[in-house]
Amino acid sequence: MTASPVDAREDVVKAAKELEAMLHCQIATASDLSLLRMSTSRPDESIAPYEPLQYAYDTPLCSALRDKFGDVDALGKIFSYAREATKQLGEWCADQLWRFALAEEETRKAERKTERIFLRDLEDRPTELLDAEVKRIREAKGIVENWTFKPPIAVGNNLSPKVVLLNSYLNLIFERPSDAKCIIFVKRRYTARLLKQLLMKIGSKNIRIDLLIGSRYGDLGDVKVSFRQQVLTLLKFRRGEVNCLIATSIAEEGLDIPDCNLVIRFDLYDTLIQYIQSRGRARHTNSKYVHLVEKGNRAHVQAVKDVRQGEAKMREFCQALPADRLLQGNAYNLETALVKERPHRKYIDPESGATLTYPSSLVVLAHFVGCLPHHDDAIQQATYNISVEKKKYICEVILPDNSPVHSATGRPASRKVIARWSAAFEACLLLRQKGHLDKHLIPTIHKLLPQMRNAHLALNSKKTSKYTMKIKPSLWENTRGVRPNELYMTVLELETPESLGRPCQPLALLTRSHMPDFPAFLLHLQIDKTSNVICSSISRSFEVSGSALSELTEFTLRIYQDIFNKKYEVNEPEMSYWLAPVIKDWKTSTSQPSPDCMIEWAVVKDVCKYPEIEWTIDTPHDQLLNRYLIDRWDGGRRFFSIAVEPEMRPLDPVPRDAASHKHMKNILDYSVSLFAKSRMRATWGHDQPVIRAERLLHRLNWLDDFNEKEKAVKTTCYLCPEPLKFSALPIAVVTMSYLFSAIISRLESYLIALEACDMLGLCVKPGLALEAITKDSDNTEEHRSDQLHVQRGMGKNYERLEFIGDSFLKMATSISLFSTSPEDNEFEFHVRRMVMICNKHLLDTALKLRLFEYIRTRGFSRRNWYPEGIRLLEGKGHKKTGLEVMKHDLGDKSIADVCEALIGAALLSHNENGDMDMAVKAVTALVASEDHDVSKWADYYPLYAKPKYQLAQATASQLDLAMQVGRIHDYHFRYPRLLRSAFIHPSYTFAAEKIPCYQRLEFLGDALLDMASINFLFHRHPDKDPQWLTEHKMAMVSNKFLAALSVKLNFHKHLRSNGAIIEYQNREYVAEIQEAEKEAIGARDYWTNTKQPPKALSDIVESYIGAIFVDSEYNFKEVERFFDKHIRWFFEDMSVYDTFANNHPTTYLHNLLTLSFGCTNYRLMASEIESIAPGGPTTSVAVVMIHDDIVAEGQASAGKNAKVKASSNALKLLQGLAPFEYRIQYHCDCEGEEKKWVGRGGDGLGMVGSAI
């Protein structure tokens, strides 16, 4: 019932009776009106008073036109409204009306109207009068075209107080980008058009305005709107392309208007119907309904009072209705109806005496469904479908997909509620017969079981333990102990050596065993200058004599001493590797019989012969240039000599551009680093030259970019040569050797990563292997959070590989379970897969394998680097004894994540040719379960024993299905009955075709589609983090998209189910999605704006994918072909789905706070609480804090799900708030001091709530 009886403005009871008589009906209402509030969100109402309006008058333009053309009939309405507009809207809007009315097209319309009036006149008048009238209209048009219009600013009467108030409020609402949606109700079409024109000029840049007016058209200056345009406007409003509608009464009823959070009555309502229906448009959380009321206007005050009093009258009328008009619900007087049911059934357990009755069966079944394993954010419930046969109600109850019993049908009943009881009763009997309810009617799948399993799955990401970490690869230790007779060479060079800014010579890394092909990696050589390191492993070894080995040892130890200020013992059997200079054109020598011809032996011999180059006063100046100089007493001072400064003397002051030093008395003093007493004893010549040099920056980490401190360091120095050591190492060798510690550190990390893969029996590319075991911060797995204790320069971390590895793990275990367990249902599949892939199980396997030793959590630092095996005699750390043991803190979840990352690395190492054998092997090694015991992809299909239904003779109907589906997707099914299974809903009777429902195939297809989707996203977007990938994958595998795809492929036509409700829901959705596609005009995201579809439609797409996979003998290329042909097109441009992805609660909350409210002082945190009961599951609690106050919280078994719940609860509080309201309510000052006029009356506009 609407407000019609009250609007009759007479006795309500009398009006109601007349309405009942006219409609041949009776008015009824709910027995408890307060319950209605629970189903509908009601907006907060506010009165927005504006200053009194001026009297209507003619603007100068209107006066000029009225003086000349006031008697022109075609312009009569324009004169009238333009005058009224000066009062309601202001002079600017009044003048703009003439622009609309006398535009070229409208002028022609006025001329045609004048001509029609002239021709209808019975009087015989000369046509000259008509021509004169048309000419006058043209003259009026010319005046308007030549008129100088004022800008739309709030000066004088240019804009009315009513318009100024409206604009101010809208600017507050839309001051930042947001999801706010607003409807402004006006009475006149002209008003709507003028307000749109005005607000587009002076409104916020974030407001996107459109009109929603009726399709009537005819007045001069009016807008022609078709029904199609109305629908398109509403579609834009729903999508957010339009966030403000200026509407006439058409938006009050008759059209499907999406929910909005702000309704403004610019023009007040005339009836209670208008008030109630326009208010009903504000159904969003935190929505507001604003009445614009003129101060001192008694009519406005009375209008507001009338509607509120009228609503109160209607409530009183409903409450006074007789008892037979009060709806009591389906359970009213059911006992009487139940007695009439024959037979009256109940079940008594013979062991315990527990009794199951019709009413109690609903509770028992609901308890069982609630105990089924499920995600924390999923709602488990049974679905009751009721149909009518022979004037009796028959109900079928459908349980969730993971239930061991899919459905049950009750006996015919005279009441719907009893039919539901009967269906629940039959379902409980089946569950008891199959042992899923115990003798006390308690679920044997106890609720604690899935909670504990989820708790195991959701390891504590914060909990850490101390684990040992490998510092050096075992390769060095395993090959040491004897002097080698042959060596292998790996050439180390820079891809762009010019980035160093000085000569650079490649180095040879000489090892006892052949090195793998290392990938290139980046070094930061100078500010904003980088280069890749290229490592070329030579496959052939070369023999090395005793004398040559001694020379190489001396050369290597000289580099350690002169460059790294560390003197090591000479112990050739215990050296892990040697260094040697490589000739510049070494690549042309690779064809030589022995690689040692690539070594520049002359440099090696010179370095061995001369410990240093002696300087004397007679040394020519040109021999002082391009030398490597060493401070004998300060290991941190190393220099490259650049030039001799002939004008400077040793006792001259140190120039201002010199790098700072503790001794700055003069240049000679600057050159010496001795302590005070030693300086007093030392004597130096005062006639030696002064060398301008560049001090080498001893960077701790060449693998990382320069920090601000390093950028600010001065490097120019002025030195005297006598106190310094002139190294025999050539400059070109020194420049490359300076980088060696960083290079060998990265190579050793590659070797450690490869050792981890060897332990698992995996062949993985070194770059991917290292990426899989790299954890570069304490909270690497918390995407988009501020990273804590970041270890810089470690390269890529494991998070992307973990993302794709997790998907492959899910697919591999799903295939194995599907193949080896033909009798299991989907419920058993989910449970067994959960046990295999849960993080707790992966952690246990990793701990047994000691995988934690291989994980990299420490970035490179020059201070911590050392060559393993030989003893340090002099230098930092020479007093240490024994092997160094390093330990690192690792979270349990981090170790489990590395397992999944290794699976991802194994997959990508061989995925170029579609080879997934190594990934399968990785799953077997890390899952360590008898449910997955295969070593290559080809081992899966032999595990699958074709069921009888698949091999049975296909019927004509099943063959016809295969033919029809084959036209849509060009795949020919060898087993048509397998295809039929993909389209059979769980509610469909098995006896009809002796073919099982699609749930097993859907379980398999879900994992296959997930893998295909992630594979597409992973390779197409190599720079995106897992958070982005996860959010956008949600669009690709969502029920919304798959249901739309099902309709596009006409799969819905082949679905077989029992139950009128399922068929009705499918028909409704199919009609809606087809209309949405038609209206989208080629837009690929048309499916995002429809209502939630029936799940069955999305299920059959996944089950079909599972069917073609099985029918093709586990050929994953067929899955990818289906994806490329039917799915890929929708997601070529993923930016289209940013909004869809951002609907994830945590992402949406982040965007709402930062983008819409401009707030930066907030946190989303989660922590785990141990169970009080021994062995009980932990509980995760998440909170949202805004400006140090907790505003929302959420609890779940996993921290991730707790954050989702906390975010959802926070959104309930925050959605619909305007930025200024948020700042006031949460005391947010992130964008500076609040404007002084905001907050007056509570909302910045002096609104006084619902009281007048």
Side-chain angles (χ1 to χ4, degrees):
M1 184 182 70
T2 67
S4 300
V6 176
D7 283 339
R9 296 192 181 275
E10 58 185 43
D11 180 74
V12 176
V13 176
K14 180 180 178 182
K17 289 182 177 180
E18 291 178 356
L19 181 64
E20 288 179 325
M22 180 173 59
L23 298 178
H24 300 285
C25 67
Q26 287 185 332
I27 296 174
T29 188
S31 58
D32 186 356
L33 294 179
S34 63
L35 297 177
L36 297 176
R37 291 289 187 92
M38 300 176 62
S39 61
T40 305
S41 175
R42 186 165 179 172
D44 294 330
E45 296 189 49
S46 297
I47 303 296
Y50 54 88
E51 296 300 320
L53 301 176
Q54 300 293 327
Y55 291 106
Y57 61 93
D58 284 341
T59 66
L61 173 59
C62 190
S63 295
L65 292 171
R66 190 185 292 277
D67 290 343
K68 292 186 177 182
F69 315 107
D71 58 338
V72 177
D73 292 338
L75 303 179
K77 284 188 178 181
I78 304 301
F79 279 117
S80 176
Y81 185 77
R83 185 179 179 86
E84 179 63 21
T86 57
K87 175 181 178 181
Q88 297 292 334
L89 306 176
E91 286 189 8
W92 187 86
C93 291
D95 287 347
Q96 290 299 311
L97 180 61
W98 288 106
R99 276 186 164 177
F100 298 155
L102 293 176
E104 182 61 38
E105 178 62 33
E106 296 300 302
T107 302
R108 288 199 293 269
K109 186 166 70 172
E111 293 171 357
R112 292 194 295 270
K113 181 178 179 181
T114 302
E115 186 175 358
R116 284 197 304 272
I117 294 173
F118 184 85
L119 295 175
R120 281 202 307 265
D121 198 330
L122 298 178
E123 296 182 12
D124 187 13
R125 293 187 295 173
T127 57
E128 287 79 3
L129 294 178
L130 173 61
D131 295 339
E133 193 79 357
V134 170
K135 183 179 180 182
R136 294 179 69 197
I137 294 174
R138 283 288 168 181
E139 289 177 3
K141 177 178 181 296
I143 291 176
V144 173
E145 288 179 343
N146 296 320
W147 192 265
T148 302
F149 291 90
K150 297 178 183 179
I153 55 177
V155 176
N157 297 329
N158 202 32
L159 299 179
S160 72
K162 188 177 181 181
V163 168
V164 171
L165 178 67
L166 174 68
N167 183 57
S168 299
Y169 191 49
L170 290 176
N171 284 342
L172 283 174
I173 297 296
F174 296 103
E175 68 172 273
R176 297 181 64 86
S178 72
D179 291 333
K181 291 180 180 177
C182 169
I183 299 178
I184 303 169
F185 281 100
V186 298
K187 290 182 179 179
R188 303 285 295 272
R189 299 162 65 90
Y190 285 140
T191 305
R193 189 176 183 189
L194 289 169
L195 280 179
K196 177 187 175 183
Q197 185 79 2
L198 175 65
L199 293 175
M200 288 177 66
K201 291 182 178 294
I202 66 173
S204 166
K205 65 179 180 180
N206 299 313
I207 192 169
R208 300 178 294 278
I209 304 177
D210 208 342
L211 298 179
L212 185 61
I213 58 180
S215 56
R216 179 182 62 82
Y217 173 68
D219 290 342
L220 203 62
D222 200 358
V223 183
K224 186 175 183 180
V225 178
S226 66
F227 178 73
R228 175 180 170 80
Q229 287 175 306
Q230 291 174 346
V231 172
L232 291 176
T233 299
L234 291 175
L235 187 60
K236 291 177 182 178
F237 192 58
R238 179 178 283 112
R239 290 178 175 176
E241 297 172 19
V242 171
N243 57 14
C244 181
L245 285 179
I246 303 176
T248 56
S249 59
I250 189 176
E252 294 170 357
E253 60 176 329
L255 290 177
D256 181 18
I257 310 292
D259 292 354
C260 66
N261 58 336
L262 176 63
V263 170
I264 299 176
R265 287 297 320 201
F266 184 81
D267 293 329
L268 289 180
Y269 26 75
D270 293 324
T271 66
L272 182 58
I273 290 179
Q274 290 182 332
Y275 164 65
I276 291 178
Q277 291 182 334
S278 61
R279 187 184 66 186
R281 299 307 176 191
R283 296 191 294 265
H284 204 280
T285 307
N286 293 327
S287 58
K288 294 171 182 60
Y289 187 82
V290 180
H291 313 251
L292 294 192
V293 174
E294 183 181 10
K295 290 182 180 179
N297 190 322
R298 294 184 179 180
H300 283 188
V301 174
Q302 190 61 44
V304 176
K305 286 184 176 180
D306 286 347
V307 295
R308 289 178 177 172
Q309 290 173 356
E311 189 175 21
K313 287 181 182 178
M314 181 180 293
R315 189 175 295 109
E316 292 172 1
F317 168 76
C318 292
Q319 290 174 340
L321 287 173
D324 62 346
R325 303 288 187 89
L326 301 181
L327 303 178
Q328 301 290 342
N330 290 331
Y332 179 69
N333 202 22
L334 283 175
E335 292 300 324
T336 302
L338 189 58
V339 171
K340 298 178 181 178
E341 295 295 324
R342 295 291 182 266
H344 183 47
R345 308 180 66 211
K346 64 180 179 179
Y347 166 80
I348 301 177
D349 190 272
E351 293 185 53
S352 65
T355 302
L356 179 71
T357 64
Y358 266 34
S360 66
S361 61
L362 284 177
V363 179
V364 172
L365 187 60
H367 183 210
F368 173 82
V369 170
C371 291
L372 294 173
H374 63 280
H375 297 293
D376 287 292
D377 54 353
I379 298 176
Q380 295 280 84
Q381 61 182 11
T383 302
Y384 293 88
N385 296 330
I386 297 178
S387 58
V388 179
E389 292 184 14
K390 298 180 180 179
K391 296 183 180 181
K392 289 279 188 176
Y393 295 106
I394 297 178
C395 179
E396 178 187 29
V397 59
I398 299 174
L399 303 185
D401 293 342
N402 56 353
S403 170
V405 171
H406 297 140
S407 64
T409 303
R411 297 186 176 185
S414 59
R415 300 290 298 271
K416 288 183 179 180
V417 67
I418 297 178
R420 290 193 188 93
W421 286 350
S422 177
F425 186 87
E426 298 296 336
C428 291
L429 289 181
L430 284 174
L431 292 170
R432 179 71 184 105
Q433 291 169 9
K434 295 185 178 183
H436 301 300
L437 292 176
D438 65 13
K439 61 183 180 180
H440 301 290
L441 304 181
I442 301 298
T444 55
I445 308 164
H446 194 268
K447 194 166 188 176
L448 184 59
L449 176 62
Q451 285 183 346
M452 293 180 64
R453 283 176 175 166
N454 281 332
H456 289 318
L457 181 142
L459 289 173
N460 191 333
S461 60
K462 306 294 181 185
K463 180 182 176 182
T464 60
S465 302
K466 289 281 187 182
Y467 297 98
T468 56
M469 182 177 75
K470 277 182 172 288
I471 304 173
K472 300 290 182 179
S474 301
L475 175 67
W476 302 148
E477 184 179 359
N478 296 338
T479 55
R480 291 197 305 264
V482 295
R483 288 178 54 129
N485 296 320
E486 65 173 0
L487 293 173
Y488 288 86
M489 178 184 296
T490 301
V491 179
L492 313 176
E493 62 178 340
L494 297 178
E495 187 177 33
T496 55
E498 61 274 10
S499 298
L500 264 174
R502 57 181 66 93
C504 177
Q505 183 173 0
L507 277 181
L509 175 67
L510 305 174
T511 55
R512 290 179 168 87
S513 57
H514 178 254
M515 292 289 102
D517 292 326
F518 297 111
F521 54 92
L522 197 67
L523 294 183
H524 297 264
L525 305 176
Q526 296 188 74
I527 298 173
D528 298 328
K529 290 188 177 181
T530 60
S531 175
N532 276 323
V533 177
I534 307 299
C535 306
S536 304
S537 181
I538 309 301
S539 58
R540 289 173 290 112
S541 63
F542 66 92
E543 294 184 1
V544 58
S545 63
S547 59
L549 186 64
S550 297
E551 291 175 342
L552 291 173
T553 301
E554 176 66 23
F555 180 84
T556 303
L557 296 181
R558 186 69 57 77
I559 287 178
Y560 295 163
Q561 182 175 0
D562 285 3
I563 294 178
F564 301 107
N565 195 35
K566 294 183 178 182
K567 183 176 180 179
Y568 289 91
E569 67 173 348
V570 178
N571 188 351
E572 293 170 354
E574 293 301 320
M575 289 189 68
S576 300
Y577 44 77
W578 291 261
L579 298 175
V582 175
I583 60 178
K584 292 183 179 179
D585 56 346
W586 67 271
K587 292 181 180 178
T588 61
S589 304
T590 54
S591 59
Q592 297 294 326
S594 178
D596 67 337
C597 64
M598 292 186 280
I599 297 176
E600 196 167 355
W601 288 103
V603 172
V604 175
K605 293 179 182 298
D606 283 347
V607 170
C608 294
K609 184 176 180 182
Y610 303 105
E612 63 179 283
I613 299 174
E614 294 188 8
W615 175 86
T616 66
I617 195 67
D618 299 323
T619 300
H621 287 183
D622 60 343
Q623 293 185 16
L624 302 179
L625 307 182
N626 295 320
R627 293 291 182 182
Y628 176 52
L629 312 179
I630 302 170
D631 188 326
R632 298 178 186 273
W633 302 283
D634 187 347
R637 290 187 9 125
R638 303 286 193 269
F639 313 93
F640 284 136
S641 61
I642 298 174
V644 174
E645 297 290 346
E647 303 299 325
M648 293 185 180
R649 298 292 179 264
L651 299 181
D652 288 349
V654 178
R656 292 184 178 180
D657 63 338
S660 63
H661 184 46
K662 57 186 176 181
H663 305 294
M664 300 289 288
K665 183 178 178 181
N666 52 50
I667 294 176
L668 182 58
D669 186 58
Y670 181 82
S671 306
V672 180
S673 298
L674 286 169
F675 290 109
K677 292 183 179 179
S678 300
R679 295 171 71 84
M680 293 176 63
R681 294 193 297 266
T683 58
W684 313 102
H686 294 173
D687 56 347
Q688 57 184 306
V690 173
I691 301 172
R692 179 164 52 87
E694 179 184 356
R695 180 178 177 179
L696 273 70
L697 183 63
H698 278 264
R699 299 199 64 215
L700 293 178
N701 190 357
W702 294 97
L703 296 164
D704 186 25
D705 201 356
F706 283 72
N707 56 40
E708 294 303 317
K709 183 178 179 180
E710 289 174 324
K711 292 178 180 180
V713 172
K714 293 181 180 180
T715 57
T716 301
C717 297
Y718 297 90
L719 307 167
C720 294
E722 187 177 3
L724 303 175
K725 173 183 176 181
F726 283 67
S727 174
L729 292 171
I731 289 288
V733 172
V734 172
T735 52
M736 192 65 188
S737 299
Y738 251 93
L739 309 174
F740 175 71
S741 59
I743 295 173
I744 191 63
S745 174
R746 177 57 60 85
L747 299 188
E748 287 176 338
S749 293
Y750 284 133
L751 293 172
I752 292 173
L754 291 175
E755 287 177 7
C757 295
D758 290 340
M759 175 186 64
L760 298 171
L762 306 177
C763 178
V764 177
K765 293 180 179 179
L768 291 170
L770 179 56
E771 183 179 341
I773 64 169
T774 297
K775 177 179 171 62
D776 58 0
S777 68
D778 287 356
N779 56 337
T780 298
E781 62 284 341
E782 294 184 19
H783 314 301
R784 295 188 186 171
S785 298
D786 292 335
Q787 298 298 288
L788 305 177
H789 303 120
V790 178
Q791 301 291 315
R792 309 191 68 85
M794 295 186 69
K796 296 179 178 178
N797 61 34
Y798 64 67
E799 57 179 7
R800 273 179 58 91
L801 289 178
E802 183 257 334
F803 175 73
I804 195 169
D806 174 73
S807 178
F808 188 87
L809 175 62
K810 174 184 173 182
M811 179 182 73
T813 51
S814 299
I815 295 173
S816 178
L817 287 171
F818 181 89
S819 305
T820 58
S821 307
E823 300 301 323
D824 283 358
N825 57 27
E826 188 185 19
F827 164 74
E828 294 293 340
F829 282 162
H830 279 288
V831 173
R832 292 174 65 183
R833 185 176 69 184
M834 185 190 304
V835 171
M836 269 197 289
I837 70 176
C838 71
N839 286 337
K840 180 64 169 61
H841 183 70
L842 294 177
L843 173 66
D844 290 342
T845 304
L847 293 179
K848 290 177 184 176
L849 297 171
R850 300 185 67 82
L851 189 61
F852 51 80
E853 293 185 348
Y854 301 90
I855 299 175
R856 305 289 89 198
T857 61
R858 296 285 187 273
F860 166 72
S861 173
R862 175 182 50 81
R863 291 174 180 168
N864 299 328
W865 172 81
Y866 64 93
E868 189 183 33
I870 51 179
R871 186 163 59 92
L872 178 63
L873 303 177
E874 297 178 11
K876 185 177 180 180
H878 71 279
K879 295 183 180 180
K880 292 182 179 180
T881 58
L883 294 175
E884 183 178 359
V885 177
M886 181 174 286
K887 291 195 173 184
H888 56 166
D889 293 321
L890 282 176
D892 293 346
K893 186 176 184 303
S894 297
I895 300 175
D897 287 345
V898 167
C899 294
E900 294 174 334
L902 284 168
I903 295 172
L907 174 67
L908 296 179
S909 293
H910 305 274
N911 203 32
E912 295 175 357
N913 302 321
D915 184 357
M916 293 188 281
D917 289 349
M918 198 58 61
V920 172
K921 194 174 183 180
V923 171
T924 300
L926 291 167
V927 165
S929 169
E930 61 182 13
D931 282 337
H932 190 283
D933 188 18
V934 293
S935 59
K936 57 182 183 295
W937 184 269
D939 292 343
Y940 282 129
Y941 188 68
L943 298 176
Y944 176 67
K946 299 182 186 68
K948 292 181 180 179
Y949 86 87
Q950 180 179 336
L951 298 172
Q953 181 70 35
T955 64
S957 172
Q958 294 158 1
L959 292 171
D960 181 64
L961 171 66
M963 183 179 65
Q964 291 185 53
V965 175
R967 295 194 192 105
I968 300 167
H969 179 66
D970 54 342
Y971 177 81
H972 176 70
F973 268 84
R974 304 173 214 180
Y975 302 101
R977 290 172 63 84
L978 184 67
L979 176 61
R980 171 70 87 198
S981 177
F983 291 102
I984 292 183
H985 189 267
S987 65
Y988 193 68
T989 306
F990 178 78
E993 297 188 63
K994 304 295 184 186
I995 295 177
C997 70
Y998 60 56
Q999 287 182 325
R1000 279 174 51 90
L1001 291 174
E1002 185 261 333
F1003 169 82
L1004 178 63
D1006 170 74
L1008 294 167
L1009 177 60
D1010 191 73
M1011 186 69 228
S1013 302
I1014 286 176
N1015 215 24
F1016 167 77
L1017 284 176
F1018 187 92
H1019 292 94
R1020 192 173 181 85
H1021 302 279
D1023 58 333
K1024 297 298 185 182
D1025 61 64
Q1027 181 81 8
W1028 186 96
L1029 294 171
T1030 299
E1031 291 169 354
H1032 288 73
K1033 183 206 77 170
M1034 288 167 57
M1036 304 178 74
V1037 299
S1038 66
N1039 285 339
K1040 266 195 169 185
F1041 169 69
L1042 294 178
L1045 180 65
S1046 177
V1047 175
K1048 189 173 184 66
L1049 299 179
N1050 285 325
F1051 281 3
H1052 64 284
K1053 296 180 179 179
H1054 308 298
L1055 176 65
R1056 294 203 169 188
S1057 65
N1058 285 339
I1061 294 180
I1062 297 176
E1063 294 176 4
Y1064 170 77
Q1065 291 174 340
N1066 289 347
R1067 284 196 304 271
E1068 287 283 301
Y1069 175 75
V1070 168
E1072 182 181 358
I1073 193 65
Q1074 289 177 340
E1075 182 63 26
E1077 182 179 11
K1078 189 186 304 180
E1079 296 289 348
I1081 318 174
R1084 305 186 186 193
D1085 63 338
Y1086 66 88
W1087 54 271
T1088 59
N1089 294 296
T1090 61
K1091 64 183 179 184
Q1092 283 296 332
K1095 189 174 182 296
L1097 295 180
S1098 58
D1099 286 346
I1100 58 177
V1101 173
E1102 293 174 332
S1103 60
Y1104 175 79
I1105 291 172
I1108 59 174
F1109 179 74
V1110 174
D1111 192 80
S1112 64
E1113 298 183 354
Y1114 290 13
N1115 185 356
F1116 189 70
K1117 288 187 183 333
E1118 287 296 336
V1119 176
E1120 293 181 312
R1121 189 167 72 88
F1122 178 87
F1123 180 91
D1124 290 339
K1125 184 172 182 180
H1126 302 293
I1127 299 178
R1128 185 187 184 104
W1129 176 84
F1130 289 91
F1131 301 101
E1132 294 286 351
D1133 180 11
M1134 287 304 297
S1135 64
V1136 174
Y1137 301 101
D1138 286 345
T1139 301
F1140 186 91
N1142 291 341
N1143 285 333
H1144 187 277
T1146 53
T1147 305
Y1148 190 92
L1149 177 65
H1150 168 77
N1151 291 338
L1152 180 67
L1153 290 169
T1154 56
L1155 301 180
S1156 298
F1157 297 149
C1159 181
T1160 57
N1161 190 356
Y1162 71 91
R1163 293 185 67 189
L1164 174 60
M1165 303 175 295
S1167 181
E1168 275 118 3
I1169 301 174
E1170 296 293 336
S1171 173
I1172 298 177
T1178 59
T1179 300
S1180 292
V1181 178
V1183 297
V1184 177
M1185 293 185 68
I1186 297 177
H1187 287 275
D1188 300 325
D1189 289 332
I1190 296 176
V1191 300
E1193 65 176 35
Q1195 292 188 20
S1197 60
K1200 179 177 67 173
N1201 295 330
K1203 286 183 176 181
V1204 169
K1205 288 188 174 181
S1207 299
S1208 299
N1209 292 334
L1211 288 172
K1212 293 176 183 177
L1213 300 175
L1214 300 176
Q1215 279 183 298
L1217 291 180
F1220 75 90
E1221 293 171 322
Y1222 172 83
R1223 290 194 290 269
I1224 295 169
Q1225 186 170 339
Y1226 294 97
H1227 310 289
C1228 177
D1229 56 356
C1230 294
E1231 291 198 329
E1233 185 179 356
E1234 192 55 69
K1235 298 174 184 178
K1236 294 180 180 179
W1237 50 272
V1238 171
R1240 207 179 51 210
D1243 59 7
L1245 291 168
M1247 296 188 183
V1248 295
S1250 59
I1252 297 178

